[in-house]
Amino acid sequence: MMAKSKPTVAESGNVLIYPVGTEKAISQLEFQGKITFIVSKSSTKPIVKAAFEEMYGAKVERVNMMNAIDGRKKAYITLKPGFNVDELAGKLGII
């Protein structure tokens, strides 16, 4: 049995569409180290994790996904402790 290889951004295409900048999302980023992204409908947790780590150089602890009522798909990305979330928020332009 072959081991599964880690998905790459090249395989996943445009996964991360844009970060969510609502008051709730910014609060989660500051206090829990979670960042919220709108992602493509076909994306999966491993693909979102690989794309985020490759694009932003941050280590991801876990990814939760949700299909919103309006048809969008959200990914709640929890960063590993010790990562500077303020720097990442500045890069993304949400703070």
Side-chain angles (χ1 to χ4, degrees), residues 27-93:
S27 176
Q28 284 183 332
L29 176 65
E30 291 175 345
F31 297 111
Q32 300 174 7
K34 289 183 182 180
I35 187 159
T36 307
F37 265 88
I38 300 298
V39 296
S40 66
K41 295 286 277 178
S42 61
S43 60
T44 62
K45 290 179 184 183
I47 290 173
V48 169
K49 181 178 179 178
F52 188 84
E53 287 180 343
E54 190 171 319
M55 290 178 69
Y56 298 107
K59 293 294 180 183
V60 175
E61 188 172 311
R62 77 187 284 177
V63 177
N64 292 328
M65 308 280 277
M66 181 184 92
N67 288 317
I69 295 172
D70 59 5
R72 297 182 299 171
K73 192 172 193 177
K74 289 184 182 180
Y76 297 95
I77 302 167
T78 304
L79 303 174
K80 288 197 175 184
F83 187 76
N84 188 353
V85 294
D86 294 330
E87 183 181 319
L88 178 61
K91 280 184 188 177
L92 295 171

